[in-house]
Amino acid sequence: MIIQLLAAGAEAPETSFGFWQAMEEGGPVAWSILGVMIIMSVGSFYILFTKLFEQQKVMNQYKGVRSGFWRANSIREGATKLDKNSAWRQLADDAIAAEDKHAKLNDSLEAHDWMHGSLARSEHAIQAKLNGGLPFLATVGATAPFVGLLGTVIGIYRALINIGVAGSASIDKVAGPVGEALIMTAIGLLVAVPAVFAYNWLQSRNRKIFDMMSGFSTDLLANINSGGTIKPATMTASSTQTAGKAAAGRTTATATTPATGASTTTTTTTKR
């Protein structure tokens, strides 16, 4: 009896069900859907890393704006300290160009309105560049599950066809098509979830950059319209703090000469 069972087990056909077997069961349609998913996934990660690098570069350049640009005597001088291809240099150059062009206008358009519109156009151009590629992420996040669902529907349909032809719902008839359907669903989710995450994350970082650009444009406008007297409040506070530290390090003493009655002022610098 045991020998017969072992013989029957040895003669039983070996059937393996895996990813490649399921994809082969799906045929050209399954491979086509898988190819589309791969393109979507590769494109999403490419946009994620390139935009992340671009955003970080803009944020790092803003540190130079806060530390060096506003310490210059004029906006023209400060613009030369910024990177030529940076967004902040573009805003500064556009502000200078708007100031120069306003003197050539025949209409009595106020300088504030003219420069505000010019800086707004410059901001929108930079925003459009930073937002480039994000619609692709939104499209992938919205459509990838449905592309996977298409493969799921086709896999279930093939399983029903096999059941109808065989006249029975045996596991060997439905395992391949159902496995293909489940794989397509999983791939669709694996492509869509990172794309949605990347889109929301990059959008939040872009909003932060846009807020910084809006503040920088406002400071440029105030500085130009005031003839260079108005600078960001943070720079004023920093300059006041620096001057206070310098004054704290000096001690002033007044001495009177007995012979002449003249007063002599002596300043002593204390090193910290």
Side-chain angles (χ1 to χ4, degrees), residues 52-97:
L52 188 61
F53 174 79
E54 185 178 358
Q55 290 176 344
Q56 192 61 44
K57 183 179 179 181
V58 173
M59 291 181 178
N60 291 337
Q61 289 171 343
Y62 184 68
K63 298 178 182 178
V65 173
R66 305 302 298 175
S67 62
F69 178 81
W70 291 113
R71 297 183 186 277
N73 296 326
S74 64
I75 290 181
R76 296 178 187 273
E77 179 183 346
T80 59
K81 299 181 179 181
L82 302 177
D83 295 339
K84 293 183 178 180
N85 297 324
S86 68
W88 313 106
R89 176 66 180 269
Q90 178 178 335
L91 286 173
D93 289 341
D94 289 343
I96 295 171

Side-chain angles (χ1 to χ4, degrees), residues 6-249:
L6 293 175
E11 294 175 358
E14 295 183 0
T15 304
S16 60
F17 296 101
F19 175 80
W20 300 112
Q21 288 76 15
M23 294 302 299
E24 291 176 359
E25 182 74 21
V29 175
W31 287 109
S32 299
I33 294 176
L34 179 62
V36 172
M37 292 290 190
I38 292 175
I39 294 174
M40 286 183 171
S41 180
V42 172
S44 298
F45 280 101
Y46 173 78
I47 292 174
L48 170 61
F49 289 117
T50 54
K51 287 299 173 182
L52 188 61
F53 174 79
E54 185 178 358
Q55 290 176 344
Q56 192 61 44
K57 183 179 179 181
V58 173
M59 291 181 178
N60 291 337
Q61 289 171 343
Y62 184 68
K63 298 178 182 178
V65 173
R66 305 302 298 175
S67 62
F69 178 81
W70 291 113
R71 297 183 186 277
N73 296 326
S74 64
I75 290 181
R76 296 178 187 273
E77 179 183 346
T80 59
K81 299 181 179 181
L82 302 177
D83 295 339
K84 293 183 178 180
N85 297 324
S86 68
W88 313 106
R89 176 66 180 269
Q90 178 178 335
L91 286 173
D93 289 341
D94 289 343
I96 295 171
E99 182 183 16
D100 295 338
K101 291 179 180 178
H102 180 263
K104 302 177 182 179
L105 296 178
N106 295 326
D107 191 7
S108 59
L109 182 64
E110 293 186 1
H112 174 81
D113 295 336
W114 166 255
M115 295 192 62
H116 184 272
S118 300
L119 289 173
R121 288 194 300 270
S122 183
E123 287 181 38
H124 293 160
I126 297 172
Q127 291 176 8
K129 183 178 180 181
L130 290 175
N131 285 329
L134 297 188
F136 179 82
L137 292 178
T139 302
V140 171
T143 60
F146 295 102
V147 176
L149 183 61
L150 175 61
T152 302
V153 171
I154 294 176
I156 298 298
Y157 175 76
R158 291 174 61 84
L160 294 176
I161 293 296
N162 290 343
I163 292 173
V165 172
S168 63
S170 59
I171 190 65
D172 60 329
K173 300 298 182 182
V174 300
V178 171
E180 172 202 349
L182 296 177
I183 288 174
M184 290 293 104
T185 302
I187 292 177
L189 294 176
L190 289 175
V191 173
V193 171
V196 173
F197 172 78
Y199 175 80
N200 292 329
W201 188 34
L202 294 176
Q203 279 283 45
S204 65
R205 289 170 62 88
N206 273 346
R207 284 192 292 269
K208 182 178 180 181
I209 294 175
F210 299 159
D211 290 339
M212 291 190 296
M213 287 195 302
S214 178
F216 182 63
S217 297
T218 302
D219 293 336
L220 285 174
L221 186 60
N223 185 270
I224 292 176
N225 289 337
S226 65
T229 58
I230 297 179
K231 291 187 177 183
T234 55
M235 285 299 304
T236 305
S238 177
S239 302
T240 304
Q241 185 178 7
T242 302
K245 290 181 179 180

